Amino acid sequence: VNGLQARTFGIWTLLASVIRCLCAIDIRNQTLYYITLFTFFMALVHFLSEVFIYHTAALTIGVMAPLMVASFSILGMLIGLQYLEVEALSQNKKKN
């Protein structure tokens, strides 16, 4: 890893954390919710590809931890998405 790659990964991680914090503040914003969910999918795909496609990482605790966080976060957000959609439907019924 050179300095440029380390800084790029650092900025990517910072951007993902800002998006996730904004979603935690405004969890009813569907667009932001989908973007946040997408960041977890990107992280999961990234780490899985490093392990199984590029073979640049081994399945150690340092790789397993982000894989587990991304997986459980995706699962939790997909469950939460059902409630978010139901709430949006009930808000639309109240307006009509």
Side-chain angles (χ1 to χ4, degrees):
V1 176
N2 62 35
L4 175 61
Q5 290 170 323
R7 288 188 297 276
T8 302
F9 187 74
I11 291 295
W12 175 67
T13 303
L14 180 64
L15 178 62
S17 67
V18 167
I19 291 170
R20 293 167 187 172
C21 287
L22 290 173
C23 184
I25 292 169
D26 186 12
I27 198 159
R28 288 181 175 84
N29 184 335
Q30 281 189 331
T31 304
L32 189 55
Y33 197 90
Y34 283 116
I35 291 170
T36 304
L37 182 60
F38 185 68
T39 66
F40 285 113
F41 275 116
M42 284 177 38
L44 183 66
V45 168
H46 168 73
F47 283 103
L48 286 174
S49 68
E50 292 297 330
V51 172
F52 295 111
I53 296 173
Y54 301 113
H55 304 290
T56 54
L59 277 175
T60 61
I61 191 67
V63 173
M64 290 297 292
L67 286 174
M68 289 176 18
V69 168
S71 300
F72 290 133
S73 297
I74 290 168
L75 181 63
M77 288 192 77
L78 288 175
I79 292 169
L81 185 60
Q82 295 174 348
Y83 293 103
L84 189 64
E85 290 174 349
V86 167
E87 185 177 325
L89 288 174
S90 68
Q91 291 293 330
N92 287 338
K93 286 182 182 179
K94 287 180 184 178
K95 289 179 183 179
N96 295 331

